[in-house]
Amino acid sequence: MPKITDENYLVKTVHATEWQDVLSTGTTEPMLILALDAESGERDSYVVKPFGHPRIYRQAVMKECLGAWIAMELGLNAFEPVYIEVSTDFADTLRGNPHYQRFTESIGLNFGTKYVPGTIPIVGPKCFSKIQASQAEQITAFDLFISNADRREGKPNLLMVQSDLFVFDHELAFDFMLMLSFNRNLKPWELGEMELTMLRKHFLYPKLRGTQVDIHDFIERFTGIDDHFWAKASNLLPPDWVSDDLATIQNHLALIVENRTIFAQQLAQAILI
Ligand SMILES: Nc1ncnc2c1ncn2[C@@H]1O[C@H](COP(=O)(O)OP(=O)(O)O)[C@@H](O)[C@H]1O
Ligand SMILES: [Mg+2]
């Protein structure tokens, strides 16, 4: 997986040319579309989450990008964010399509990823055997780090691509942003009631419960989420998706990075008991 801190990393911008399908398994009804990469001249399939949906707003798509970029930086497999330009010409081609209105409310850049064909869904506990313990440990630690309660039973937001496990769908991550600042955990490296509930509801928790996890090396990778990472993220995001929320997220995660040893110990303890 590339990392946004790689020297020449760029986010691809592609231009929507043809609507193909709605992915109704997702609550935000992402769309499968064809889009043109003007640089390479190639037309490919992409999954776009157009803005015209109540759950897709600027902070949400910023969180989608940050979640994927943090996963990539930590060495997890994630669908790489792509910016999908929706033009009025494209929206006009959809007159009569039930999703026309959604696209008219999404003119400009939208969040998307390149469509990966042939993925194998991860659904119930019977899929646990396909997942290595180390992958489960790392993804669980990642979700607790980014405060993501949206990988749970019935909604794993995990897919297998060949034999690799991919994480996606991070628009509900950093959920401390939804709380008033004085209600937030001031010591987020210590697992409070909210974090323990998040852990116990995590899709992978039943696989790990009662085991001795080995996350020490993985937790050291958190140091890659440093000032350079955040500066790069801020530069890569479309300017109108960025707000003060970015600094709030950066500061919250920096506390966990600084106190990662305690975070890892508490997480290991909570999984063991
Ligand atoms: N890049 C991709 N390649 C293949 N399938 C994808 C990709 N992105 C999303 N999907 C499929 O679309 C579904 C919905 O995407 P998701 O990001 O979970 O949306 P939602 O926020 O609506 O739940 C996923 O469960 C997955 O099956
Ligand atoms: Mg989803």
Side-chain angles (χ1 to χ4, degrees):
M1 272 281 127
K3 297 182 162 116
I4 65 161
T5 52
D6 293 343
E7 203 176 345
N8 297 317
Y9 189 90
L10 283 176
V11 180
K12 197 193 274 251
T13 298
V14 296
H15 308 275
T17 60
E18 199 177 310
W19 180 86
Q20 293 186 304
D21 205 357
V22 54
L23 300 175
S24 40
T25 52
T27 30
T28 67
E29 299 204 314
M31 309 276 176
L32 188 64
I33 55 150
L34 278 180
L36 176 72
D37 178 350
E39 218 161 285
S40 68
E42 279 172 30
R43 242 158 58 109
D44 271 306
S45 293
Y46 291 85
V47 176
V48 61
K49 290 191 170 179
F51 272 110
H53 183 280
R55 261 186 43 194
I56 306 297
Y57 47 95
R58 287 172 185 175
Q59 192 202 65
V61 289
M62 179 178 79
K63 293 193 290 188
E64 279 277 13
C65 291
L66 293 176
W69 291 339
I70 293 171
M72 287 154 58
E73 197 70 35
L74 299 179
L76 301 176
N77 300 305
F79 296 134
E80 238 182 299
V82 171
Y83 302 143
I84 306 209
E85 197 241 350
V86 168
S87 63
T88 42
D89 283 351
F90 169 69
D92 280 346
T93 65
L94 297 175
R95 279 178 199 279
N97 177 308
H99 306 291
Y100 168 65
Q101 175 80 17
R102 174 125 186 230
F103 282 100
T104 60
E105 292 168 16
S106 309
I107 305 300
L109 296 185
N110 293 265
F111 173 83
T113 54
K114 190 157 179 189
Y115 176 69
V116 179
T119 55
I120 303 162
I122 296 286
V123 275
K126 66 180 186 311
C127 293
F128 286 164
S129 60
K130 292 186 202 157
I131 301 172
Q132 295 161 15
S134 64
Q135 289 177 316
E137 293 170 3
Q138 293 185 0
I139 291 170
T140 305
F142 162 69
D143 284 326
L144 268 287
F145 178 45
I146 66 163
S147 205
N148 177 29
D150 205 28
R151 215 174 324 275
R152 50 200 160 79
E153 202 194 331
K155 234 184 148 206
N157 286 318
L158 293 169
L159 283 174
M160 298 288 284
V161 179
Q162 278 136 18
S163 56
D164 294 323
L165 192 60
F166 273 64
V167 293
F168 58 90
D169 195 1
H170 300 108
E171 100 240 350
L172 295 177
F174 315 106
D175 74 347
F176 49 86
M177 297 300 291
L178 302 174
M179 303 164 101
L180 296 171
S181 53
F182 55 83
N183 277 335
R184 290 180 194 149
N185 182 354
L186 296 173
K187 294 182 173 179
W189 62 91
E190 291 185 1
L191 305 189
E193 225 18 76
M194 207 188 85
E195 290 80 7
L196 290 172
T197 303
M198 190 182 288
L199 170 67
R200 290 179 193 130
K201 289 190 172 166
H202 196 282
F203 175 72
L204 295 168
Y205 176 65
K207 177 173 170 79
L208 295 177
R209 186 176 42 206
T211 64
Q212 184 89 50
V213 299
D214 179 13
I215 48 175
H216 182 268
D217 290 350
F218 180 70
I219 295 286
E220 281 311 303
R221 298 187 202 164
F222 285 11
T223 56
I225 311 302
D226 58 7
D227 289 352
H228 175 53
F229 171 89
W230 293 105
K232 205 67 197 281
S234 170
N235 276 329
L236 289 172
L237 285 163
D240 64 342
W241 296 8
V242 180
S243 63
D244 294 346
D245 297 340
L246 185 65
T248 308
I249 293 172
Q250 171 175 357
N251 293 337
H252 190 97
L253 266 59
L255 290 172
I256 304 179
V257 175
E258 205 180 311
N259 298 285
R260 61 192 175 281
T261 316
I262 305 172
F263 173 81
Q265 279 164 357
Q266 296 215 351
L267 182 55
Q269 184 61 25
I271 290 172
L272 186 60
I273 54 173

